Amino acid sequence: MEPFIIKGGASSWEAISKWTWEYFRKNLGHFRLQVFRTKNRHDYRYMSIAEYVDYIVNCEESDPYYATAWQFSLAFKQLVNDYQVSESFDCLIKRRIPDDILHSDAKLLLLRWIYMGPKNSGSSMHLDICSTHAWNAVISGKKEWVFFGPEYTAHVYDGEVDSFIPDYDLHPKFRDAIGYHCFQYPGDIIFTPCTHWHQVRNLEAGISITENFVNHSNLNYVRRSMQNSEDLSDEQKVFIQTFLPELFSQKQENE
Ligand SMILES: O=C(O)CCC(=O)C(=O)O
Ligand SMILES: [Fe+2]
């Protein structure tokens, strides 16, 4: 599996014209978001959406606060009607676990987030949670992406590399890493397979929406990663065991 971009795949979504800064400020303004610095996730704070939108549009910081943990549909279910997920990105978990039965700790299984942030915000090199695949649609702004396949895990130093400003003294193997690079504009959808390291930066302030998913092509990866995972709590594991028993059965899908 390789990453790909669907140029204009989301251009007809209502979100593209509707989710303006003004709309968020006016309709969701009181809601408090947790925002993190990209280079130091321990440095975080809480801001109302109204405050955060003001911060975003005026921000000139080089490592600004970024909203990457907003499971928007818990408080604003109606936003889900402003976009359409392609059938190719159907998720077994979502099909079997309706949002409204997720509670407490298991809410992490709601694999759906809005990312929004200023220019210069971004996500450091990572693999997605628990070997899930992901799609990401830019609603506004402009993102730059790089991807490296699983054969380059050592070259990216398990995600320690900053591929946009590499330090070759610290990470000499990164010189030999060969990846993909692309820009994503409003309406473009990017698919990231569970196997690929990726790093993203926002070249312009903006909003994007992302959903992670499990299907038959990554079920074995998810199974393996759940067995070793520290990402998931015991409660989440029990939830998954109940709704996706095949993840725990002996029978393996063909690899
Ligand atoms: O847009 C970003 O900052 C990161 C996107 C990403 O890596 C993800 O959705 O998993
Ligand atoms: Fe990611």
Side-chain angles (χ1 to χ4, degrees):
M1 263 169 302
E2 303 296 329
F4 59 80
I5 184 163
I6 310 172
K7 294 292 294 173
S11 20
S12 63
W13 292 359
E14 206 173 344
I16 299 272
S17 54
K18 190 165 161 188
W19 294 7
T20 61
W21 296 126
E22 226 15 73
Y23 178 83
F24 271 30
R25 203 197 316 254
K26 215 162 148 188
N27 296 282
L28 324 171
H30 293 295
F31 190 80
R32 291 184 80 73
L33 286 180
Q34 190 176 15
V35 294
F36 305 84
R37 292 209 190 271
T38 299
K39 298 199 175 100
N40 177 13
R41 281 185 70 83
H42 299 292
D43 180 354
Y44 63 83
R45 49 190 290 195
Y46 290 87
M47 290 168 105
S48 72
I49 287 183
E51 274 176 308
Y52 187 52
V53 165
D54 287 341
Y55 171 82
I56 287 177
V57 295
N58 294 308
C59 186
E60 293 294 332
E61 293 170 34
S62 60
D63 183 16
Y65 289 106
Y66 190 22
T68 55
W70 182 24
Q71 291 182 313
F72 63 96
S73 61
L74 291 171
F76 302 106
K77 185 79 200 227
Q78 73 279 11
L79 294 179
V80 169
N81 301 324
D82 296 339
Y83 64 94
Q84 288 78 43
V85 184
S86 152
E87 275 174 24
S88 339
F89 299 149
D90 257 0
C91 178
L92 287 172
I93 293 185
K94 272 202 211 89
R95 213 183 294 152
R96 300 209 197 139
I97 311 183
D99 298 359
D100 40 343
I101 68 163
L102 292 174
H103 57 77
S104 65
D105 206 19
K107 281 186 186 146
L108 190 60
L109 299 182
L110 188 59
L111 300 169
R112 186 195 277 152
W113 297 269
I114 283 176
Y115 277 43
M116 62 177 164
K119 180 177 68 182
N120 297 331
S121 56
S123 298
S124 44
M125 187 74 75
H126 66 282
L127 290 172
D128 273 5
I129 180 170
C130 236
S131 298
T132 51
H133 296 319
W135 61 260
N136 176 304
V138 163
I139 303 301
S140 59
K142 176 181 173 185
K143 285 183 192 291
E144 181 177 12
W145 291 71
V146 287
F147 300 89
F148 297 93
E151 66 278 30
Y152 292 114
T153 297
H155 297 72
V156 301
Y157 295 81
D158 285 316
E160 275 170 32
V161 150
D162 179 344
S163 68
F164 295 121
I165 316 169
D167 177 342
Y168 293 115
D169 292 331
L170 204 56
H171 303 124
K173 285 189 203 157
F174 186 64
R175 280 186 192 285
D176 301 320
I178 299 170
Y180 299 97
H181 172 265
C182 78
F183 295 105
Q184 183 190 22
Y185 296 88
D188 295 344
I189 303 176
I190 281 188
F191 167 74
T192 305
C194 65
T195 43
H196 280 58
W197 294 93
H198 51 290
Q199 184 177 355
V200 185
R201 64 179 168 186
N202 291 311
L203 300 177
E204 289 169 18
I207 300 171
S208 68
I209 174 158
T210 184
E211 293 196 0
N212 283 54
F213 60 97
V214 182
N215 64 22
H216 289 281
S217 72
N218 64 348
L219 203 54
N220 283 332
Y221 290 94
V222 174
R223 174 190 292 118
R224 234 173 280 139
S225 135
M226 283 197 45
Q227 280 156 359
N228 314 319
S229 177
E230 285 162 20
D231 288 350
L232 293 179
S233 69
D234 289 344
E235 189 194 358
Q236 284 156 352
K237 286 186 183 162
V238 170
F239 240 91
I240 297 181
Q241 199 156 10
T242 311
F243 288 95
L244 283 176
E246 61 267 57
L247 275 185
F248 293 87
S249 68
Q250 288 312 307
K251 187 178 142 293
Q252 306 274 304
E253 300 269 324
N254 36 346
E255 307 258 334

